[in-house]
Amino acid sequence: MSEISITFPDGNTRAFPKGVTGKAVAENISKSLAKKAVAVVVDGRLSDLADSIDADATLKIVTRTDPEALELIRHDAAHVMAEAVTDLYPGTKVTIGPPIEAGFYYDFEFPPDTRISEEDLPRIEAAMREHIAADEAFARRDVPVAEAIEIFRAQDQGFKVELIEDLVRDEGVETVSLYRNGPFEDLCRGPHGPSTGRIKAIKLDSVAGAYWRGDENRESLTRIYGTAFFSQADLEEHAARIEAAKERDHRRLGPQLGIFMLRQEAPGMPFWLPNGTTLLRLIETEVREQLRKRGYQEIATPQVLDVDLWHRSGHWDNYKDEMYFMGDGDRQFALRPMNCPGACLVYASQRHSYRELPLRLAEFGRVSRNEREGVLHGLLRVRAFTQDDAHVFCTEDQITAEVASICEAIDELYARFGFDDVKVELSTRPEKSMGTAEQWERAEAALAAALESQGREYELNPGDGAFYGPKVDFHVTDALGRSWQCGTCQLDFQMPERFDLHYTGADDSAHRPVMIHRALLGSMERFVGILIEHFAGAFPAWLAPEQVRVMTVSDKFADYGRKVEADLKASGFRAQGDYRPEKIGFKIREAQLEKVPYMLVIGEKEQTAGTVAVRGRSEGDQGAMAIAEFVRFLQREVDEKRLPAGVG
């Protein structure tokens, strides 16, 4: 029997018989490792333990402690859920059930007389636990497509038939893989763990509606979400994080704190309330400080532009399904989904010399995108939003310095808001794109060189660039450890060509500039939603829409209270007074719920002494202070832009 060479992660190499399985390799190393193994990674590809290895390869044994393992058992759990559902509800049609970031889901078409709600989830969970306890093996077989189609037709599983026919049409496959666990067999690429018994803890979370293939014109489906872990302790920790996230949910806190509201009259288009408008302006001030420091000029361009412009920019071919349109006689217009064409027109309105470059044009630009209503999510996914946008026109040899400056601005801005864990991702050419391969290679190499010149670590995200150029995305980690994509820096050789932009070089000839699209925060709406959840609505004093609430123990001290309030406002603070004839305990509780950083309590003693009793949102009673002393105290906190304990 011929042998093959297996190289392990530590660099050691061993010989095994050709056709050896990952399970046999694990058993050869140690019995304890074989018991812990759930899969193998062969030449970088996750595979079943039962797959044979027929050529020299690198191999890693995957156990429960490896990052790949959790996604694997969640895929296992999705199949177990489908098995349980088809047991409990005969006649259910099965569609797809992938693992996702925090768990898994499966979409089903239930019989017409069956309606599934969250009240049914414990019953499904109980059936799943029976299959898990049975330790059913996951067994794969590869069958010709004609046979697979007949199998699923006989089971009246038309969605599976459609998937197979699409694989034949799109990929030319001749065989497909099926996985069986217990009596349930499903069309699946795999891989899977060795058996259902490796799943140690499950929880079904919710029920939602869905459409087959995401198409509103296709069949309505029921989506069941769940999660799975290797231990009950991990599941409980996950549940605690979910509860913490619910407490911080911006969709609840935002309206409660008077920041924004959403209405059915304008789905996905937030209404900013007074506190929210104040918060936006404070965030804009921080962004504008970066603009001032880095030589940006601010512009404002129209939200409605002739559709010919969007043909010219390339958005018509690549983005029209997400755009809103309107007519004026024979002329058609579009609400802008992006700000870049307007910036190009501003640049083109004047002649430019190489001495003016880089030219940095910033805009808080309002954009509109026709997102499907089903994917809207508070401020995090909206139809109308403002970007802290900018477009830098520069020469190719200025790219490195400009990208470095943008990265530094992002670092400073994120630190200001308490985000000190920032991850960077470089996304390359997508399948749907403009320009030549050579242009994309130059652009991708330029961005990579700019990041490497800063010694900045980044991950590669192949195929996820913008349609006009590669991009660098910045992901922040919030107080709950969740990652959010915010800022972006995109390199564009296409738009300057489409708009025939040029500058006069030192040789007195016309040259094409490079265009850098950049947003420090991204969508202002989305960033506010992230901030609300990051701070749980308890903004630091410098950022809080209301910094101080003055409250009296009796209405006879209202005049003194109003004087204190006026002094605070004259000093530049955002203060409000509460002089209602309510008990002081009630007023304090209300201010705490509204997350006001400081409460100043005024009674007879304070009025007589010309002081205020200071109470901090987190610190509680901080004693009496003269008004001037409190002003100095709060001014220091605001000037230093202090963050709450545990943030930043």
Side-chain angles (χ1 to χ4, degrees), residues 313-349:
S313 68
H315 289 85
W316 181 269
D317 295 327
N318 294 277
Y319 217 78
K320 67 176 181 295
D321 292 341
E322 284 77 39
M323 294 171 65
Y324 288 104
F325 298 95
M326 64 189 73
D328 182 11
D330 294 333
R331 197 170 182 187
Q332 193 175 19
F333 293 85
L335 279 172
R336 64 180 177 189
M338 297 181 188
N339 300 305
C340 32
C344 289
L345 294 181
V346 171
Y347 180 92
S349 67

Side-chain angles (χ1 to χ4, degrees), residues 340-534:
C340 32
C344 289
L345 294 181
V346 171
Y347 180 92
S349 67
Q350 294 181 317
R351 297 178 62 186
H352 299 281
S353 161
Y354 71 96
R355 294 185 180 89
E356 298 172 59
L357 304 185
L359 179 65
R360 308 177 184 98
L361 302 178
E363 177 175 15
F364 287 90
R366 184 78 164 169
V367 297
S368 301
R369 298 179 184 175
N370 190 11
E371 299 276 10
R372 288 185 295 109
E373 194 162 349
V375 303
L376 301 176
H377 184 82
L379 296 179
L380 303 180
R381 191 74 176 264
V382 293
R383 285 174 168 165
F385 57 97
T386 300
Q387 291 178 311
D388 67 322
D389 224 341
H391 298 89
V392 179
F393 300 89
C394 64
T395 64
E396 282 198 46
D397 59 6
Q398 292 170 333
I399 290 173
T400 299
E402 284 305 300
V403 173
S405 176
I406 290 165
C407 291
E408 289 165 6
I410 284 174
D411 287 342
E412 291 178 16
L413 198 56
Y414 291 1
R416 177 74 78 218
F417 293 107
F419 297 112
D420 55 4
D421 182 8
V422 181
K423 293 182 172 57
V424 181
E425 194 174 67
L426 173 58
S427 299
T428 57
R429 187 177 190 176
E431 186 175 334
K432 193 174 183 180
S433 62
M434 300 188 303
T436 66
E438 188 272 334
Q439 287 174 320
W440 275 85
E441 287 169 8
R442 279 166 49 214
E444 289 167 5
L447 278 184
L451 292 174
E452 289 160 9
S453 73
Q454 304 167 54
R456 191 176 291 266
E457 293 183 3
Y458 64 91
E459 292 184 4
L460 201 62
N461 186 16
D464 200 43
F467 67 85
Y468 47 76
K471 62 177 181 171
V472 177
D473 287 331
F474 298 82
H475 300 255
V476 301
T477 303
D478 71 7
L480 290 182
R482 299 170 301 181
S483 181
W484 305 92
Q485 190 271 314
C486 290
T488 188
C489 175
Q490 304 170 354
L491 196 56
D492 184 359
F493 288 90
Q494 309 304 321
M495 213 70 71
E497 283 193 9
R498 286 178 169 257
F499 283 86
D500 193 26
L501 305 183
H502 58 270
Y503 65 90
T504 303
D507 59 359
D508 215 29
S509 298
H511 297 268
R512 190 80 68 200
V514 177
M515 187 175 180
I516 300 174
H517 308 242
R518 80 100 185 96
L520 302 181
L521 301 179
S523 158
M524 298 291 285
E525 282 74 3
R526 188 166 185 272
F527 190 72
V528 169
I530 293 168
L531 274 188
I532 292 172
E533 299 197 1
H534 182 54

Side-chain angles (χ1 to χ4, degrees), residues 67-72 74-75 98-105 205 225-229 238 241-242 423 475-478 480-485 526:
E68 302 94 338
L70 197 54
E71 181 176 330
L72 188 81
R74 286 172 174 170
H75 189 188
I100 54 177
E101 184 177 357
F104 60 87
Y105 71 80
D205 298 322
Y225 285 98
T227 193
F229 287 90
H238 169 77
R241 286 197 301 268
I242 294 297
K423 293 182 172 57
H475 300 255
V476 301
T477 303
D478 71 7
L480 290 182
R482 299 170 301 181
S483 181
W484 305 92
Q485 190 271 314
R526 188 166 185 272

